[in-house]
Amino acid sequence: MSFGSITYTDDEFNEIQAALRKRLGTDFVATRPGPGGQKLYYVEGWRVVQLANETFGFDGWGYSVTNMTVDFVDHLAGKFNVGVSATVKVTLKNGCFREDVGYGCVDGMRLLGQRKREVETICAQFTIKTLRPTLT
């Protein structure tokens, strides 16, 4: 059997459903400064991957970047201002999948590749959240 066509046992299915119904505690939520002095709340990328591994099994899910577009690049004084959008597909071992689009923009970056990886992570987070709505 190949990935994407493996059925869940009844026990696996029930365990996944129970995990998806659980609410996350505040210790899962990180904060960072936002525009206008706001505090922004989010779940860190590594934690989303950890939760997906705990919920679906380390070999029970995967994701792929199906599209990534650099929307603009401005090079000023040795630094880059960059906007990147990406589409990420998250697939479970039984073939169930979700796709989502994310966008990232940053000013004053020295390396372009770093921002692409960040956007990929952001997209994966959003897409995994559609499989596990308690992450929101």
Side-chain angles (χ1 to χ4, degrees):
M1 290 190 135
S2 63
F3 189 84
S5 64
I6 302 168
T7 58
Y8 288 106
T9 66
D10 288 342
D11 287 341
E12 287 175 320
F13 181 82
N14 291 331
E15 287 175 22
I16 289 170
Q17 291 303 308
L20 291 173
R21 283 192 282 276
K22 288 182 184 176
R23 302 296 287 166
L24 296 180
T26 57
D27 55 326
F28 285 85
V29 180
T31 61
R32 64 179 172 86
Q38 294 179 13
K39 188 184 271 190
L40 301 178
Y41 299 90
Y42 66 101
V43 180
E44 295 171 294
W46 68 268
R47 195 174 290 271
V48 171
V49 170
Q50 179 185 40
L51 287 166
N53 284 339
E54 290 171 4
T55 302
F56 305 112
F58 76 94
D59 61 350
W61 72 282
Y63 79 91
S64 59
V65 178
T66 58
N67 184 31
M68 184 175 284
T69 304
V70 177
D71 297 314
F72 71 88
V73 177
D74 296 328
H75 189 233
L76 304 167
K79 295 184 180 181
F80 295 95
N81 300 329
V82 185
V84 180
S85 59
T87 305
V88 171
K89 181 178 182 179
V90 174
T91 306
L92 301 182
K93 73 178 186 177
N94 69 348
C96 177
F97 71 90
R98 299 289 188 270
E99 268 187 324
D100 206 348
V101 177
Y103 186 81
C105 184
V106 70
D107 296 329
M109 191 161 246
R110 293 183 190 272
L111 300 173
L112 286 176
Q114 181 180 359
R115 189 59 189 169
K116 286 182 180 180
R117 179 70 179 130
E118 288 176 24
V119 171
E120 178 184 326
T121 300
I122 291 166
C123 293
Q125 288 171 292
F126 288 133
T127 308
I128 291 169
K129 286 179 189 180
T130 68
L131 292 166
R132 186 180 172 129
T134 58
L135 289 174
T136 58

